[in-house]
Amino acid sequence: LPPPPTMLASTWLFASLAALPFVSEARAAEAISCQAAACFDDGVSSAVGLLQHTAGRALPSLRPLGRSYFSQHPEASARWFLRYFGGEIDTELAGLTAHEQGAKVAAVVRRSGSPSSNGSYRVIFIRGNGSTPRHDELDRFVQTVGDEWSNVMKRQQDYTPWTDFHDGLSWHVLNLAHTREDRLRFQDYGTVVRLLIPNTTWTLELVETNEQDVPVKSAPPDDAKYWAENEYRDPDRCRNHSSEYDVPSTHRLWWKTTYAAADARAAVHFANEALGAQLTGSPYPWPPVPGCTAARWSVLQGAPGEAPFSLHFVESKEYPAGLRTVTDFHRYSSTIADAMARGCFEPALYTNIMFETETLDPFVERLTSLKVPFLPVLVGPGRYALIFAFHGNEGIVVQLQSEVLTKVEAGPLKL
């Protein structure tokens, strides 16, 4: 329905959103208790061993299902997304991902309208039930990211490594008029636009296909003027801008996920071993060069007829990261990964990328052979998930889903 004639469109939108049931009670299987001593026992050694090359049959293809984020305020994060990227409430996804009973859940979906664009971009924001020391620690990381982003917006520094945690979308989904109306700040340089997702440790990267695809070339004058106000100095040190490694993919709605890595080499190796990703070229120097951003890129090819999906792993060690660094985050997350070996779920695992696959069994075998802990979880009737973290980069968490799991028994979350 259109807004009443006496109400501003933006006011009407937020009033309408406020009436929608964003926050839902978790519908996953009822969680059972997991005492802290069982989850964090210093006397129990980690089940994670050194990775070794794994021979065997190829892994099934993976199809991007969506993204899950830990959010301090899931409802507010979802409203922000709908305001600037459009979409609708996703009632299906909220019931098809692993979370504890009673968690606050807000899920949205931005549909692509194209069968060749990896379907839709589905996003779920979650905060666990109650306040715990682990929630408090995540809140402190969120605060650090917010502070560092504020420094960039104030032009006090060119970049923050925390920005390397981002999903890659086409800029066409951005509502530029709403950013101008609300004075939402973003970082624009070259053919890249970056925005912080509020209440999370993640950002979004919007990519223009080429210089002729810049939004201001077709935007109304007021929007173009505001766009120019958000232009920043290019922080991409040492990038080969003549390369076109990712141009064929950037026209799609959601085409990649990028991670700030503690060890990009280890991350891309694990992506190959555990997910079947293939190493690709990157416009950044490798091995790392002092004073330069370094990166390793990989791609999941997808099933025949499906678009590939990119996974990028970046080290921006030339820039300050704030009170808590990216390395601190991965180090903190490694304690969570160790807890998974004892069957325990932690709030940090809410931030993960979700893929669908035909069967989870080959991944169970592969992770077992790699000595990497994982959680097999029942997320709905006849639907299962495997949750695990990258060895050596435990802040990178993956959730694989399927209707087939026979190698291990899945149960409810243990918190």
Side-chain angles (χ1 to χ4, degrees), residues 25-29 94-95 97-101 103 105 124 126 345 350 413:
E25 289 296 309
R27 289 179 289 167
T97 189
H99 49 69
E100 62 187 289
Q101 187 180 35
V105 181
I124 182 168
I126 310 177
F345 184 89
Y350 281 139
L413 292 181

Side-chain angles (χ1 to χ4, degrees), residues 81-82 85-88 108-113 119-123 172-174 253:
F81 186 91
L82 291 179
F85 296 94
E88 59 195 71
V108 297
V109 57
R110 179 62 160 83
R111 305 192 188 281
S112 67
S120 303
Y121 185 54
R122 311 171 82 101
V123 186
H172 292 274
V173 299
L174 178 66
L253 172 58

Side-chain angles (χ1 to χ4, degrees), residues 176-358:
L176 185 55
H178 284 174
T179 67
R180 174 182 56 79
E181 291 170 8
D182 302 340
R183 306 300 294 177
L184 176 71
R185 297 302 304 274
F186 53 85
Q187 183 184 26
D188 169 50
Y189 58 89
T191 58
V192 175
V193 178
R194 303 191 184 280
L195 305 93
L196 175 67
I197 304 174
N199 308 304
T200 77
T201 57
W202 274 67
T203 62
L204 291 175
E205 176 188 275
L206 312 181
V207 178
E208 301 136 22
T209 304
N210 52 55
E211 292 293 344
Q212 286 68 48
D213 192 39
V214 177
V216 294
K217 292 183 180 293
S218 58
D222 288 346
D223 293 347
K225 180 180 178 182
Y226 185 67
W227 186 278
E229 292 177 15
N230 287 275
E231 290 182 355
Y232 286 75
R233 183 167 57 186
D234 190 341
D236 264 343
R237 297 179 182 176
C238 311
R239 176 169 181 153
N240 179 4
H241 288 282
S242 65
S243 66
E244 297 184 350
Y245 292 110
D246 52 5
V247 167
S249 301
T250 55
H251 67 280
R252 301 199 309 272
L253 172 58
W254 179 31
W255 59 279
K256 74 158 183 175
T257 289
T258 296
Y259 295 95
D263 184 339
R265 178 181 176 276
V268 78
H269 176 69
F270 186 86
N272 170 261
E273 293 285 336
L275 300 177
Q278 299 175 10
L279 180 68
T280 62
S282 163
Y284 295 97
W286 193 269
V289 175
C292 291
T293 295
R296 300 294 271 168
W297 288 10
S298 63
V299 63
L300 294 165
Q301 291 296 344
E306 293 184 352
F309 187 83
S310 295
L311 296 172
H312 296 176
F313 308 99
V314 182
E315 298 177 13
S316 296
K317 297 180 180 179
E318 72 274 29
Y319 289 109
L323 289 176
R324 295 170 183 82
T325 68
V326 168
T327 299
D328 291 335
F329 180 70
H330 285 289
R331 186 180 298 116
Y332 165 74
S333 299
S334 68
T335 66
I336 306 304
D338 286 353
M340 281 196 293
R342 293 178 283 280
C344 298
F345 184 89
E346 286 294 317
L349 299 174
Y350 281 139
T351 298
N352 64 69
I353 185 169
M354 297 175 284
F355 293 98
E356 286 184 313
T357 187
E358 62 186 30

